[in-house]
Amino acid sequence: MLKKNRFLIIPFIICISACNWFKSPPEIGKVLSEHFKNKIYKDFDTVAYDSVFVKTLDSLADGFVNPKTIKAFYAKHNREPKLITKFYTNGELDSLNTYLENSKVHGFNPKIFKVEEIKSLLEELSANKFKKVDESYPIIAKLEVLSANAYLNYNNYLKFGVVNPRNIFSRYYIKVKRPDSAGMIRLLDSENILDTLRAVQPKSEQYKALQAAYLTANSESERRILLLNMERFRWKMPETGTNYIQVNIPDFKLTWFDKQDTVISMKVCVGGKRENGYDEKLKAYAKSGNLDDKPKNHETPLLFSKINSIQANPVWNIPVSIAQSEIYWMARKDRYYLSNSNINVYYKDKLIGEPDTINWNRYSRDKLPFKFKQGSGGGNALGKFKFIFDNSSSIYLHDTNNKNGFGLTNRAISHGCVRVEKPLEFAEKLVGDSYTYDKLRAEVDLPPVDSTHVKWYKKRMAAKADTTKSFQLKPAWFGPKKQVPIIITYITAWAQNDKIEYRPDVYEMDEKLWVAMKKFR
């Protein structure tokens, strides 16, 4: 009989062991009994508490941001009240609640952390008025669960931001780091909540400057802009290092930073704002399929990459969208437009010798069988230089023939790529040595800076002037001395020279972010 029953006894022993039955009383009972000098906690019943905890967690989890992670943590620890056991008697749960109450200094509404409920539960537990130990179970379970959720959320919001920009902006291609379950489990396993809360406070000088301005601003509109940009500085961006290039779209400016110093700064023109009513028009286009219904969206995407090459005398591979919306119509209107604009036409990747003879009436613009390339030269839309970095949007920096654009206040006028005001100076900084720089200058018919390099320049100019030979201008490639990180970003308020600079919300991205942050503010 004993042999038959031993297989039933072993699982039973394992089960009651997992429920901490062999702890008499369990750790939470010992901690609270000693703290309150109250013997009722020595009767702490793990099985009875466990049942209350499971019901409490299930009833609250639907309102949590990371319910699966929290459930996994407590399943791993046999649903023990780990936070209360470690952090109630030493006052760290009170410190947590203080940080949550003060979260308004970061622009948060403390209500999102259930501050009042946690405070009430702490007071109820501290009152020590339970007649029986089982009366404390619902209080302990709820305080444990709400504290764990608030602790995770507070840390995640400060470390990573409250929203994922990639979820709300269609052209946000920067891979921002987001919270993961392993990191959150480690947070809940912390040995010192207070140290963690101190460590998670943003260290960025930009963030602290915006925060100080936010706390003193009287205008609601100003507080709104500051809050939105505090959120942007909370996003966990890729590491740029101390030497990097930033294009800030609302500022219409490129700045090359080396630590705190500015290597070079210049105006830029960026992509034009999408059409008004873009979303509704896009739906109409999706139904009709008619290109006439397709709304325009030339907004420059936000991205992170590294500049890996410079092209002098670039060729412009004209995008299909521009071919359909502009080149097609110009060619129909003026039969010599293509040749006069140095635009080559290709059919099945073969060059068409006489593009002026094409009968455009035979082709609809939505089914153009041609590719268009504008050759190197003075009339090229990209100007004399193109600065290339890997990205999925075919975006690059480039020179331009239309210098008038840099005199505009609103410089959101391009088809999406970024036009730079001082391409030659920018190229000089990138190549980093006089030898390469003079080679690059010679390609665009500029005399060398170093007099020992005059020979190259004269040789090139002689070849170009030789009427017995056909001189063909071709792109020339140059590598930067070192690949330089570039981030195209969107910041409408930042600290500079001990004051806050503000810029217009040119793409209305502030508005979208404000809506996404509604439940947190």
Side-chain angles (χ1 to χ4, degrees):
M1 183 70 177
L2 184 61
K3 289 183 179 180
K4 290 181 180 178
N5 290 338
R6 69 183 179 182
F7 297 107
L8 299 173
I9 293 170
I10 291 172
F12 177 72
I13 292 173
I14 292 172
C15 177
I16 62 175
S17 175
C19 293
N20 290 328
W21 271 37
F22 287 140
K23 291 185 178 180
S24 181
E27 189 174 1
I28 183 66
K30 292 179 182 177
V31 167
L32 296 180
S33 176
E34 183 176 332
H35 177 72
F36 289 118
K37 308 301 181 188
N38 190 335
K39 292 181 180 180
I40 68 167
Y41 291 107
K42 290 185 177 180
D43 298 327
F44 200 98
D45 185 331
T46 309
V47 175
Y49 169 78
D50 191 71
S51 175
V52 173
F53 179 85
V54 169
K55 290 178 182 176
T56 302
L57 181 55
D58 286 344
S59 69
L60 295 172
D62 284 346
F64 289 175
V65 178
N66 298 288
K68 290 182 180 178
T69 300
I70 291 175
K71 286 182 176 181
F73 173 78
Y74 286 105
K76 174 185 174 184
H77 291 286
N78 302 317
R79 293 165 293 282
E80 297 175 49
K82 299 291 287 184
L83 298 187
I84 294 177
T85 302
K86 289 196 289 186
F87 305 122
Y88 171 70
T89 59
N90 67 5
E92 290 196 22
L93 281 188
D94 290 301
S95 296
L96 169 62
N97 204 53
T98 300
Y99 271 91
L100 299 177
E101 286 179 326
N102 291 336
S103 63
K104 52 185 172 288
V105 303
H106 297 289
F108 302 142
N109 185 341
K111 288 182 179 179
I112 65 174
F113 302 111
K114 307 290 185 186
V115 167
E116 291 304 320
E117 285 187 65
I118 293 173
K119 184 178 180 180
S120 177
L121 291 164
L122 281 167
E123 290 172 350
E124 195 166 355
L125 183 59
S126 298
N128 190 28
K129 292 182 179 179
F130 304 115
K131 301 299 182 185
K132 297 178 182 178
V133 69
D134 58 357
E135 294 175 6
S136 72
Y137 297 162
I139 306 303
I140 291 171
K142 194 170 186 181
L143 176 59
E144 177 73 21
V145 171
L146 289 181
S147 295
N149 182 59
Y151 177 55
L152 281 187
N153 290 346
Y154 181 85
N155 277 277
N156 287 342
Y157 294 164
L158 283 186
K159 192 173 182 180
F160 302 100
V162 299
V163 300
N164 183 348
R166 289 165 67 89
N167 291 343
I168 61 174
F169 300 122
S170 61
R171 294 194 174 189
Y172 197 104
Y173 301 130
I174 302 171
K175 293 181 179 179
V176 293
K177 189 177 179 182
R178 298 297 299 162
D180 58 61
S181 56
M184 288 187 277
I185 293 291
R186 285 195 297 273
L187 270 178
L188 292 172
D189 262 331
S190 295
E191 291 303 317
N192 191 310
I193 281 183
L194 201 51
D195 284 351
T196 304
L197 292 170
R198 287 170 180 157
V200 80
Q201 301 304 309
K203 306 295 189 299
S204 158
E205 292 302 319
Q206 279 291 341
Y207 184 91
K208 289 191 284 189
L210 290 172
Q211 185 182 33
Y214 174 77
L215 295 174
T216 58
N218 296 318
S219 160
E220 279 304 313
S221 60
E222 185 180 7
R223 287 170 64 83
R224 168 175 167 164
I225 297 170
L226 291 164
L227 172 58
L228 292 171
N229 287 281
M230 285 162 63
E231 169 68 1
R232 288 185 172 110
F233 280 104
R234 286 191 287 256
W235 294 336
K236 201 79 169 179
M237 295 293 189
E239 288 295 330
T240 59
T242 57
N243 192 294
Y244 66 98
I245 294 159
Q246 175 184 283
V247 173
N248 183 16
I249 290 172
D251 194 27
F252 304 117
K253 188 169 286 186
L254 176 153
T255 308
W256 186 332
F257 293 101
D258 185 3
K259 297 179 183 176
Q260 299 299 317
D261 298 328
T262 298
V263 176
I264 192 172
S265 180
M266 67 189 72
K267 295 177 181 178
V268 297
C269 297
V270 299
K273 178 189 170 185
R274 65 178 63 184
E275 278 187 31
N276 291 331
Y278 177 83
D279 292 333
E280 291 304 314
K281 290 178 181 178
L282 196 62
K283 291 177 185 176
Y285 169 65
K287 288 182 179 179
S288 71
N290 188 335
L291 278 178
D292 291 331
D293 295 333
K294 187 177 182 180
K296 292 179 181 178
N297 181 5
H298 297 310
E299 292 180 356
T300 298
L302 307 188
L303 54 86
F304 172 76
S305 189
K306 289 184 178 181
I307 294 181
N308 55 50
S309 59
I310 306 163
Q311 191 181 54
N313 301 313
V315 167
W316 183 29
N317 297 307
I318 300 174
V320 172
S321 59
I322 296 177
Q324 291 175 333
S325 63
E326 297 180 26
I327 305 299
Y328 173 79
W329 295 116
M330 296 300 291
R332 288 193 62 164
K333 184 178 178 181
D334 177 2
R335 63 180 296 187
Y336 300 112
Y337 166 77
L338 295 169
S339 55
N340 288 339
S341 302
N342 194 21
I343 295 176
N344 293 321
V345 183
Y346 296 81
Y347 178 74
K348 294 184 177 179
D349 295 326
K350 290 184 178 179
L351 178 65
I352 296 176
E354 298 290 339
D356 299 336
T357 63
I358 297 173
N359 183 0
W360 295 101
N361 293 322
R362 294 178 54 191
Y363 305 100
S364 63
R365 67 185 180 116
D366 57 337
K367 294 181 182 178
L368 282 177
F370 308 109
K371 291 181 181 178
F372 303 85
K373 294 185 181 184
Q374 188 176 39
S376 303
N380 189 284
L382 305 185
K384 295 180 178 179
F385 298 103
K386 177 179 174 183
F387 305 92
I388 301 166
F389 43 90
D390 293 336
N391 67 92
S392 60
S393 304
S394 300
I395 295 296
Y396 41 83
L397 309 183
H398 66 87
D399 182 19
T400 179
N401 294 311
N402 180 15
K403 305 295 184 181
N404 294 331
F406 297 111
L408 300 174
T409 302
N410 183 342
R411 296 192 288 278
I413 57 174
S414 81
H415 285 98
C417 288
V418 179
R419 304 173 189 173
V420 294
E421 180 189 23
K422 306 172 185 174
L424 190 62
E425 292 178 39
F426 188 51
E428 180 182 13
K429 298 294 183 186
L430 283 168
V431 297
D433 67 83
S434 62
Y435 178 87
T436 309
Y437 179 54
D438 277 349
K439 280 279 191 183
L440 181 146
R441 287 175 62 90
E443 287 296 330
V444 295
D445 301 337
L446 290 174
V449 175
D450 187 335
S451 59
T452 62
H453 301 155
V454 170
K455 189 176 180 180
W456 306 334
Y457 179 67
K458 287 185 174 179
K459 184 177 180 181
R460 175 185 171 83
M461 297 308 289
K464 193 173 182 180
D466 188 350
T467 56
T468 63
K469 296 180 180 179
S470 176
F471 178 85
Q472 185 178 0
L473 191 64
K474 294 181 180 179
W477 295 83
F478 297 87
K481 187 174 184 179
K482 183 181 179 181
Q483 292 193 5
V484 185
I486 178 170
I487 186 164
I488 300 179
T489 189
Y490 195 95
I491 303 169
T492 53
W494 69 94
Q496 186 174 315
N497 299 327
D498 298 322
K499 71 172 186 175
I500 303 297
E501 293 285 342
Y502 296 92
R503 294 296 183 273
D505 181 21
V506 62
Y507 287 168
E508 297 181 354
M509 293 179 76
D510 276 5
E511 187 60 38
K512 275 194 174 182
L513 183 55
W514 185 248
V515 171
M517 292 180 66
K518 183 177 180 180
K519 65 180 179 181
F520 302 100
R521 45 186 172 81

